[in-house]
Amino acid sequence: MKKIAMRSVRAALQLIPKNLKDKLKQNERLTNLYIKSVRRSGLFFDAPTPKQTQQLYAQWLEMEKGSEGFASSHQVGWQAVVFGENGSCETEKCLNELGAHKIVNVKHGADENYAQHMMELDDNLPTLLLNSGDTLNASAISTLVSALTHSDIVYCDTDQFSEDGTRTNPRFLPDWSPELQFSTAYVNTGVFIETSLLKLLNATEFNRVAGVLTELALSKKELKVAHVPKTLVHTTRNNSADVATLNAVKRVLEKHTAVAVSLDEQFMVNRLCWSNTNPLVSLIIPTKNGKALVQACIESILKKTTYQNFEILLIDNGSDEKESIEYFDYLNTLEKVSVLKYPAPFNYSAINNFGVEHAKGNIIGLINNDIEVITPEWLTYLVGHAQRAEVGCVGAKLLYSDTRIQHAGVVLGYGGGAGHAHKNFPRYHTGYLKRIIATNNYSAVTAACLLVKRAHFDAVAGLNEKDLSVAFNDVDFCLRVKALGVNNVYCAEAELFHHESVSRGLDISPEKAARFNKELSYLQTQWADVIENDPAYSPNLTLKRENFSIKSREEFNGV
């Protein structure tokens, strides 16, 4: 009924004159009411309901039983550090039953002697970091210690015990995502670690698991972090980070990095703005005609962007409309804008490569002509990430004209190729694990708005204009950049409109369909391993929809 009601509301909104609609949008109370109603209805973004999630999780648990090994944990030497006080008796009972050789309790508080706690640990045994009140699956220790064999740290998924003892609220995590850890402390319990690493820490934030993990991520180069995609840790509460945990991560970040961190208490995420050296950024914008789109795009960049050291290269791919040509001639007179002619047949990859050849900046920005700035600091945030040595491609949060999510990261495997995470979700929806509102790592981001170092662009020879002239060239590019040993980043703080038509039908002309299938086939062949198992996504989540729901029984069975 809620979806039917919201469809009626949306239909009615289409009949309201634009000038009146704009005035209504300025009414914060009405806007918030509409957004909340959209969230509750699930309309537009097909979010799974709690009931659907629990049904799917029950199926997942049933199927997981057959694959769980229950090797005796008593055969493995290990120890544990338990953080906090609430529920410590239940936790210690569980740890003792599973054969912990030593249990060290660390209270949350400023007066604890953390260095002394670390000295109590045996260097020859791995250490489990666990929150008080949490318990473990019978196979957890053997599974995690086995995964630790080739890693420095290993973590797992979690779920929650309800009052009636039912396992619920699973958190199916991605593989190691440093940005998601910095912004949300998504790994904050159930961590196995080589004990020698713990003793290298500055003890300041040793009172919380997330502080320990963040400290290690920033202080140890080439940290090997493994993830076991099984719910081996069971909590008695929601496992999202609280204010104290996020502040612990914030303090570690500020100690180690040149980054401004603010805690957004509305959404409970850390906002990171990394410092930069004010490099020249070359923004490449391809177009053919499209005066209105180009005007909205370029004027919003020129008028709204606070970061000022940029140039715009508009690449004209054979415009033949008088009004567009005249407007582009005008743009060519502006100090920050250059218009370059590219009269060859349309090839998105080739056009952008041509633009980069004429760019002067050390940072390259690939921008679609239907992008419009929302956040004035968008370029400041993106440049801060792009300049980091450990970062490759950086993408933005892009919204359709009606403010639904158009892009918040790319997941490999959707549709057998790649698709946009959380597509069609409302702008202020948090997303799964807060991955809409929090900056985090994805294997790829869209080139509709993408920044990358010129050195990285050159190192992979730019976009693949031979095999991918139209589709998937940005995905392929991101994966090749990632293969250089860097991480790609979705930056949630950089918001822009992407006025891509949401009602546009597919162009299924035989020629274009053949080209698309050829380019999809190339992606599937070239990147089969990532499509099979995208490390930025959980193998327990569906690839049939972009809503992060749990796989159905049919999907697990390959149907």
Side-chain angles (χ1 to χ4, degrees), residues 60 64 157 172 229-231 538-542 549-551 556:
W60 185 91
E64 190 69 6
D157 298 343
F172 290 129
K230 297 177 182 288
T231 50
S538 170
N540 301 311
L541 299 177
T542 184
S549 64
I550 301 172
K551 276 183 176 177
F556 271 106

Side-chain angles (χ1 to χ4, degrees), residues 5 23 48 96 124 138 174 180 200 208 218 246 271 274 277-278 306 326 344 385 395 406 416 418 446 473 496 520 557:
K23 288 183 179 180
N96 282 319
N124 297 313
L180 191 60
L200 296 176
R208 294 183 186 274
L218 293 171
L246 288 170
R271 305 289 184 193
W274 296 80
T277 59
N278 195 41
T306 53
E326 289 177 348
H385 284 294
Q406 191 272 337
T446 181
N473 36 50
L496 304 96
L520 174 59
N557 293 331

Side-chain angles (χ1 to χ4, degrees), residues 475-495:
V475 177
D476 171 78
F477 174 75
C478 286
L479 293 174
R480 286 186 287 120
V481 169
K482 188 174 185 293
L484 297 175
V486 292
N487 294 320
N488 295 326
V489 175
Y490 156 68
C491 178
E493 288 76 29
E495 283 191 314

Side-chain angles (χ1 to χ4, degrees), residues 28 122 145 356 398 423 497:
E28 185 176 352
D122 186 340
V145 170
V356 173
L398 303 181
K423 188 174 181 179
F497 283 116

